[in-house]
Amino acid sequence: MRNTLHHITAISGHAQRTHDFYTGVLGQRFVKKTVNFDDPGTYHFYFGDEAGSPGTIMTHFPFEGVGPGRLGIGETQETMYRVPKAALGFWTHRFVEKGVVHGALETRFGETVLPFRDPDGMRLALVGLAGIEAEPARETAEIPAEMALRGFHGVSLLLEDGEATARVLTEVFGFARTASEGTTTRYRVEGESLGAIVDIHAAGGFLPARQGAGSVHHIAFRAKDDAEQAELAARLRQELKIATTEQKDRDYFRSVYFRSPGGVIFEIATDEPGFAVDEPAESLGEALKLPANLEPFRAKIEGLLPPLDTQRASAA
Ligand code: ZN
């Protein structure tokens, strides 16, 4: 099994601001505008590459005015995006120009990393990689293709003790332990480049995480179809004694969830059917899409959702 990252789902505090940052500042495509299927008065936004490919998708639940989260034990600490190494200077300038909170360049595991925050303070980073310049990337008016993001590099998890969670990665999802640096151990799916890294930062003494704006809610790993997902879930239950949920239909993928031993919510999401299942690939993200069971309540739902101007992206 080789189950790299499918998507990352986060909580933010303001729909318009989140939209403008991920599309305008980062140049991601607004792949889908829908609602939280379990709480339809709240949006669910998906940002990714041109096609909304697994391994590029950052999703947000913008709860208007929700209080800030507090990073702590049992949480995803940082999400890393891939950029060509030569693009890091461009991005440093861009973050200064756009007032994006960012740090100085760092070296981690031999890679050059530019850490930054989204408007809710969520920890993100750009990792400069050699040899990825020719990969397809989304160009915007302000971001030439050679500078653009190329999906996820990986995530880091802040855990009290990483061992039990590492077994999920290595025994079920096909990751291998490849390096360690200080208190962080790197796990990766060898031979894959997109979403192929999970760094476990095992650090005792932190308070537990408190979820809120700027927190990652869960991370999802890929399964190619229902059969592979069912097999992964069965192995989690049988071999690692981890309880998993029933499969839930998220319209663009089908999901099984479980709490990893270290506390982070993990999901297994199918690659099928993808984001073009309910609107044309050319106009992804333009219309509010609702699951069939919520369609009868469209007018009411539209009345509850905050206004969103999706034309502001290029001006952000
Ligand atoms: Zn998810």
Side-chain angles (χ1 to χ4, degrees):
M1 296 287 176
R2 308 168 66 74
N3 307 98
T4 52
L5 293 169
H6 183 286
H7 66 266
I8 311 292
T9 291
I11 299 167
S12 58
H14 193 277
Q16 186 75 54
R17 190 176 64 187
T18 297
H19 170 272
D20 293 352
F21 182 79
Y22 285 89
T23 60
V25 177
L26 296 186
Q28 297 290 278
R29 187 167 187 198
F30 191 33
V31 169
K32 190 66 66 181
K33 177 169 66 171
T34 182
V35 295
N36 183 335
F37 289 8
D38 303 316
D39 176 11
T42 302
Y43 281 120
H44 193 184
F45 293 160
Y46 292 77
F47 307 101
D49 72 357
E50 198 64 29
S53 310
T56 75
I57 299 292
M58 173 70 77
T59 100
H60 276 268
F61 294 124
F63 292 101
E64 297 298 310
V66 71
R70 180 190 66 208
L71 177 72
I73 292 292
E75 195 173 32
T76 299
Q77 182 168 11
E78 184 185 67
T79 300
M80 298 172 277
Y81 284 100
R82 309 162 70 240
V83 293
K85 197 166 184 187
L88 288 171
F90 168 89
W91 283 102
T92 303
H93 281 287
R94 186 165 174 79
F95 290 164
V96 170
E97 198 180 280
K98 302 284 183 188
V100 175
V101 174
H102 63 284
L105 293 177
E106 303 171 6
T107 302
R108 302 183 203 155
F109 296 102
E111 297 168 340
T112 310
V113 180
L114 172 58
F116 67 106
R117 303 288 189 100
D118 85 354
D120 287 290
M122 190 165 80
R123 288 164 173 78
L124 300 168
L126 300 179
V127 180
L129 300 171
I132 68 169
E133 299 77 10
E135 290 181 13
R138 186 166 188 275
E139 187 164 70
T140 71
E142 297 182 0
I143 306 169
E146 62 266 31
M147 303 299 176
L149 274 54
R150 282 154 168 84
F152 294 133
H153 193 44
V155 291
S156 64
L157 310 180
L158 178 60
L159 305 180
E160 181 78 29
D161 168 14
E163 286 308 314
T165 298
R167 289 188 62 195
V168 173
L169 298 175
T170 59
E171 294 177 27
V172 181
F173 289 154
F175 285 70
R177 178 181 177 138
T178 58
S180 63
E181 202 172 82
T183 52
T184 302
T185 304
R186 172 154 290 192
Y187 297 85
R188 94 179 287 153
V189 178
E190 300 282 6
E192 298 289 338
S193 52
L194 204 55
I197 288 174
V198 176
D199 288 335
I200 294 185
H201 179 195
F206 282 89
L207 291 168
R210 187 184 61 214
Q211 297 256 304
S215 300
V216 172
H217 184 265
H218 65 266
I219 63 174
F221 295 84
R222 297 173 66 173
K224 69 176 187 295
D225 55 21
D226 292 340
E228 185 183 355
Q229 182 188 59
E231 188 188 336
L232 293 166
R235 288 174 56 206
L236 285 163
R237 291 191 298 267
Q238 288 156 18
E239 295 169 25
L240 298 179
K241 309 298 175 206
I242 291 173
T244 59
T245 66
E246 294 294 296
Q247 188 192 63
K248 295 181 196 291
D249 187 355
R250 298 312 191 189
D251 277 16
Y252 313 109
F253 43 83
R254 291 176 291 278
S255 302
V256 167
Y257 302 86
F258 63 98
R259 189 174 288 276
S260 63
V264 180
I265 297 172
F266 282 7
E267 171 183 348
I268 307 169
T270 56
D271 283 1
E272 306 168 335
F275 292 98
V277 70
D278 63 353
E279 60 187 331
E282 310 80 65
S283 57
L284 288 178
E286 290 176 17
L288 177 70
K289 305 308 293 185
L290 296 174
N293 65 314
L294 294 177
E295 197 57 62
F297 310 104
R298 173 174 285 271
K300 189 178 177 195
I301 290 168
E302 286 177 343
L304 288 170
L305 293 169
L308 181 72
D309 177 359
T310 54
Q311 302 310 311
R312 270 173 50 168
S314 54

